[in-house]
Amino acid sequence: MESVDLARRTVRELNQYLHRQLPGSGIETLEILNPDGAHNIAVGLDGPVEIEVRGHAGYYLAGMNQHAHVTVHGNVGWGVAENMMSGLVRVKGFASESAGASGHGGLLVIEGDASLRCGISMKGIDIVVGGSVGNFSAFMAQAGHLVVCGDAGDGLGDSLYEAVIYVRGAIASLGADAREEPMTDTDRATLARLLRDAAFTHDPREFKRVASARTLYHWNADANQEY
């Protein structure tokens, strides 16, 4: 295993190494030491490498990730896995706001809680949260799945499009155009796969399904601006 110590090197130097020297080097696993809450660690990865971050990280860790598997042994700040395309990002602790924002693919696992707007504008990413999520999670979520093993805050799924949300705990309130729907066999199979991939053992039968009522898709002249 190769190591990069951020007590001795800058984040810019780390990312340049990850983009320019690591590909083709034969190194399959790299650990990042002493992250100490630094921002923009391991952004733009585009290769099948295992990254182990040994500590807490700041904003936008593993943003735009492709193919790489990134594990954070700590907490993360805003926008972890923002605009993620593929691969796996796992946070062993807690995540701040906008986790997985605008993600197109791959799997984001947060073992603790996630703050406000988890999964905002998600476009195909799958997000599994072991704890609870804050207000307005999955706001304007367009595609993909958000799995919440704990509780969900107010405004869940506000202005939801085609993403689907599964919640095991209590939902404080649903946002505009979001509604609870019956779980189907397909839902349970999808949820079982996501929980297995995230290494959680919850029973899919314990979850509720939230999806779009599709009343915001088209302008309605008779709605009198009341949506």
Side-chain angles (χ1 to χ4, degrees), residues 1-15 17-18 29-38 41 51-56:
M1 180 185 292
E2 187 79 6
S3 296
V4 175
D5 189 346
L6 288 180
R8 298 175 178 272
R9 301 179 70 175
T10 67
V11 172
R12 180 185 293 273
E13 289 172 334
L14 166 67
N15 287 333
Y17 170 76
L18 293 174
T29 304
L30 178 115
E31 63 176 358
I32 298 171
L33 307 176
N34 297 307
D36 291 339
I41 293 174
I51 303 289
E52 302 283 338
V53 181
R54 304 289 181 182
H56 305 307

Side-chain angles (χ1 to χ4, degrees), residues 121-204:
S121 194
M122 51 194 284
K123 297 176 173 67
I125 189 174
D126 291 322
I127 303 174
V128 182
V129 179
S132 300
V133 296
N135 298 347
F136 292 102
S137 289
F139 173 62
M140 293 188 70
Q142 297 163 38
H145 303 89
L146 171 61
V147 179
V148 182
C149 299
D151 301 329
D154 284 312
L156 179 68
D158 190 84
S159 303
L160 191 63
Y161 285 84
E162 291 301 313
V164 177
I165 307 168
Y166 301 112
V167 182
R168 182 168 175 258
I171 299 171
S173 69
L174 295 174
D177 208 37
R179 67 181 181 185
E180 188 174 336
E181 298 179 344
M183 289 280 286
T184 66
D185 290 341
T186 300
D187 286 310
R188 284 185 280 271
T190 298
L191 181 53
R193 172 181 58 82
L194 291 169
L195 289 169
R196 181 179 64 250
D197 291 347
F200 294 132
T201 59
H202 301 300
D203 187 338

Side-chain angles (χ1 to χ4, degrees), residues 63-125:
M64 301 178 288
N65 185 66
Q66 294 192 87
H67 308 301
H69 286 195
V70 181
T71 301
V72 183
H73 298 269
N75 305 323
V76 293
W78 282 34
V80 59
E82 185 263 348
N83 206 35
M84 180 175 172
M85 307 303 266
S86 63
L88 170 67
V89 176
R90 178 181 294 274
V91 178
K92 305 290 284 186
F94 300 90
S96 187
E97 297 186 22
S98 303
S102 300
H104 287 253
L107 175 64
L108 169 61
V109 180
I110 299 164
E111 296 189 1
D113 297 330
S115 187
L116 310 177
R117 304 180 187 89
C118 179
I120 182 173
S121 194
M122 51 194 284
K123 297 176 173 67
I125 189 174

